[in-house]
Amino acid sequence: MASPDSVRRFAVDSLLAAQCPGYSFVRVGQVLFIGNEVTKEHILRAELDFREGDTIQVAELAARLERNRARLYNLQLFNQVAAQATCRNGELIVLFGLQERWYTFPVPIFSFADRNIRSWLDRPDRWRRFDYGLHLTRYNFRGRNEQLLGNLQFGFNRKYELFYITPSLGRFRRMGISVGASLLQSRALDYDTRNDQLLALRTDNTFPVQRWYVTGGLRWRRTVQRLTTLEGYYYHERISDSVQQRNPNYFLGTRQRAFVDVVLARTLNQRNSFAYPLSGSFLQVSLTQRFFVTSASPPITTVAGRYARYFDLGKGFYYSASGEVRLRMAQRLAYADSRALGYRQALVRGYDAFVVDGRHFGVVRQGFSYRVFDAGRLNLPMLSDPRLNRVPLVLYLNTFADAGYVAERSVPVTNRLPNQLLASLGLGLHLVTYYDRVFTLEYARTLEGFGGFFFRTEFPI
């Protein structure tokens, strides 16, 4: 969504020409912030690419201010960020005006205990497959852009989680840490794939699967746009006798296993908006090495990457395209490690009712969008809090085409989607509103002729 508080180049240029005529370079005298009642000023300064005393070329000042304004906005701590510059005798005063968001979100959990709505509808016991509880997120914890997340979930799946992330520590605010722990107990487990659909085992008194893990990591970032992480995970998983009897390959012949994942990832996020990008690019690559501790399973090496580009074509038209790949190398893979398309990680739209298992996959997505409605910011006078009473509302019409392929050497005869081209076309409506919320309603039709309407809560590319 194009931010309504973007800096207008002509306004900055004309202002400087009037205030400091004849200067080709200006010196930054002061950088000021207003509106950051919670956020610490040093967190904001760490995102900027200039400081007091720096010299900036006048011809590039407007673009420089907009780039830094976008960095502050994409911290996702503010509803609005505005930048203003004034000049006197060749010395510049830069002012950033901020409207902070609401940072504490206690969200009740009431959700389907399945990977999507279509999968939930296909379950004969669907009305018992609900999760409920409380998800608590505290953004900008202590005003330092830290995150504190907790889950207390009951119902069909029990989940207890606590995570803490701080993106920046130290004098230069470049190094951060992440720690967390999670425990999952589920009364159902998808133990096999037949006819490209999941087979589920459900029990009322026991848990077919129990999993816990702890994690810790280091995070190095230059700005909100550039992030490198090195994280370690220790997992312990256990399945019931019933699962092992139905699929001995689920854990390669054992009922429980423990393993360590070491994940190195690099993200370069140069999109204009992280929630619903209309211009810019996104690149993320990762390398994961898995070592098994309590079983004879061979180690697994996974290489993954995703690249996306976004183009503003003018007059309300936009184009986006992305490619995603994953390569998984191992002598043998357990069924639990062979998930590819159709799960929560990746999807060719229209194949929501199916899953595709395999070692390697690739997906290409592209779409054209047209902004059909932009209400700006709707005023809600019944809400007195300025963080909540102005709601941005933008609607886009989108047409898209997806294609994907999953490569697997050994495929059960009942599954026909691996090792063949998957493709779909579709039309959708994308609603973008405040606090980075995106809602999409899409109709997709696949190469095989099936599909339907699908509701999602994230930008698909």
Side-chain angles (χ1 to χ4, degrees):
M1 181 176 61
S3 302
D5 52 339
S6 297
V7 171
R8 298 180 181 272
R9 174 182 292 271
F10 68 85
V12 175
D13 291 346
S14 60
L15 178 66
L16 287 176
Q19 294 180 341
C20 290
Y23 285 88
S24 57
F25 290 87
V26 290
R27 179 182 177 273
V28 180
Q30 284 184 287
V31 179
L32 304 174
F33 302 91
I34 59 171
N36 54 313
E37 298 178 5
V38 175
T39 311
K40 305 297 183 183
E41 186 171 305
H42 64 263
I43 297 297
L44 305 175
R45 289 181 176 273
E47 298 301 321
L48 305 181
D49 64 6
F50 57 81
R51 304 286 186 270
E52 282 93 344
D54 289 355
T55 300
I56 300 178
Q57 188 175 357
V58 171
E60 67 173 25
L61 180 61
R64 191 88 171 263
L65 286 178
E66 169 58 17
R67 184 164 66 245
N68 284 269
R69 187 208 64 84
R71 287 181 177 180
L72 295 178
Y73 181 75
N74 280 323
L75 285 172
Q76 299 179 298
L77 301 178
F78 309 104
N79 287 326
Q80 297 182 74
V81 178
Q84 181 178 343
T86 59
C87 183
R88 182 177 181 182
N89 298 326
E91 188 161 286
L92 196 67
I93 299 176
V94 179
L95 175 66
F96 291 100
L98 315 164
Q99 185 191 66
E100 293 187 315
R101 295 183 176 186
W102 188 270
Y103 295 130
T104 302
F105 289 89
V107 179
I109 297 173
F110 188 78
S111 61
F112 305 112
D114 289 282
R115 54 194 175 85
N116 55 48
I117 296 177
R118 179 61 179 271
S119 177
W120 177 81
L121 290 171
D122 291 339
R123 305 289 191 179
D125 60 342
R126 67 179 70 94
W127 297 113
R128 303 178 66 179
R129 299 177 65 89
F130 288 102
D131 299 326
Y132 60 90
L134 181 67
H135 174 79
L136 178 63
T137 303
R138 169 63 180 182
Y139 296 101
N140 206 14
F141 181 55
R142 302 193 303 164
R144 291 173 168 86
N145 195 20
E146 301 164 323
Q147 293 183 40
L148 191 63
L149 302 93
N151 273 318
L152 191 61
Q153 178 179 300
F154 305 98
F156 199 78
N157 299 304
R158 298 179 183 177
K159 185 184 293 185
Y160 315 97
E161 295 181 320
L162 184 63
F163 297 95
Y164 168 78
I165 301 172
T166 176
S168 55
L169 295 170
R171 177 183 176 186
F172 299 104
R173 319 304 302 179
R174 296 292 180 253
M175 186 66 70
I177 61 172
S178 62
V179 294
S182 172
L183 170 64
L184 170 68
Q185 298 173 314
S186 178
R187 297 193 183 278
L189 178 65
D190 297 318
Y191 66 88
D192 205 354
T193 304
R194 296 179 190 171
N195 299 318
D196 302 300
Q197 294 182 307
L198 294 171
L199 297 181
L201 171 65
R202 188 197 189 284
T203 61
D204 291 323
N205 302 316
T206 61
F207 298 107
V209 61
Q210 299 186 65
R211 176 188 304 115
W212 64 266
Y213 73 86
V214 293
T215 178
L218 298 176
R219 308 164 66 85
W220 187 84
R221 63 196 293 276
R222 291 185 58 188
T223 68
V224 69
Q225 298 172 320
R226 300 171 184 267
L227 175 65
T228 302
T229 60
L230 177 62
E231 296 176 303
Y233 299 81
Y234 178 83
Y235 286 85
H236 189 277
E237 301 177 325
R238 184 171 68 246
I239 57 174
S240 65
D241 289 332
S242 299
V243 174
Q244 188 180 17
Q245 291 170 4
R246 286 169 169 79
N247 185 358
N249 193 48
Y250 193 89
F251 281 162
L252 292 180
T254 182
R255 282 190 56 228
Q256 61 180 338
R257 64 180 188 173
F259 57 89
V260 174
D261 276 352
V262 180
V263 184
L264 176 64
R266 173 68 169 167
T267 303
L268 180 60
N269 193 343
Q270 295 181 311
R271 299 175 293 182
N272 72 311
S273 168
F274 291 3
Y276 195 90
L278 299 175
S279 62
S281 63
F282 176 88
L283 173 65
Q284 186 175 68
V285 293
S286 66
L287 173 65
T288 303
Q289 184 63 52
R290 176 170 294 182
F291 305 95
F292 289 90
V293 179
T294 61
S295 71
S297 300
I300 302 173
T301 302
T302 303
V303 180
R306 178 172 175 257
Y307 179 71
R309 283 295 305 270
Y310 308 88
F311 301 91
D312 184 346
L313 304 178
K315 298 184 179 180
F317 288 92
Y318 306 91
Y319 173 73
S320 57
S322 71
E324 184 176 358
V325 296
R326 188 198 73 188
L327 305 175
R328 180 160 285 176
M329 284 76 73
Q331 294 179 3
R332 292 181 301 159
L333 278 181
Y335 171 79
D337 301 321
S338 63
R339 296 179 172 183
L341 298 183
Y343 296 90
R344 297 184 186 272
Q345 302 95 326
L347 174 72
V348 176
R349 284 171 285 185
Y351 291 85
D352 296 63
F354 304 95
V355 296
V356 192
D357 299 326
R359 291 173 176 259
H360 318 301
F361 73 77
V363 179
V364 176
R365 304 181 186 92
Q366 61 177 339
F368 281 97
S369 296
Y370 175 68
R371 187 176 65 246
V372 296
F373 177 76
D374 186 350
R377 291 184 176 270
L378 299 178
N379 291 320
L380 302 179
M382 71 286 300
L383 299 176
S384 59
D385 195 318
R387 294 170 294 184
L388 301 173
N389 62 11
R390 299 189 67 200
V391 182
L393 202 63
V394 186
L395 184 67
Y396 297 91
L397 178 65
N398 175 264
T399 180
F400 61 86
D402 292 358
Y405 189 89
V406 175
E408 177 54 62
R409 293 177 300 192
S410 177
V411 180
V413 294
T414 60
N415 296 332
R416 60 186 182 86
L417 294 182
N419 300 321
Q420 78 167 33
L421 177 65
L422 311 177
S424 64
L425 297 172
L427 187 68
L429 289 174
H430 298 174
L431 178 66
V432 186
T433 184
Y434 68 164
Y435 286 84
D436 303 322
R437 296 298 187 261
V438 179
F439 303 96
T440 72
L441 178 63
E442 298 175 332
Y443 178 82
R445 205 71 181 169
T446 71
L447 196 63
E448 292 79 7
F450 47 77
F453 288 94
F454 306 95
F455 177 75
R456 314 184 199 281
T457 56
E458 60 183 7
F459 186 59
I461 297 181

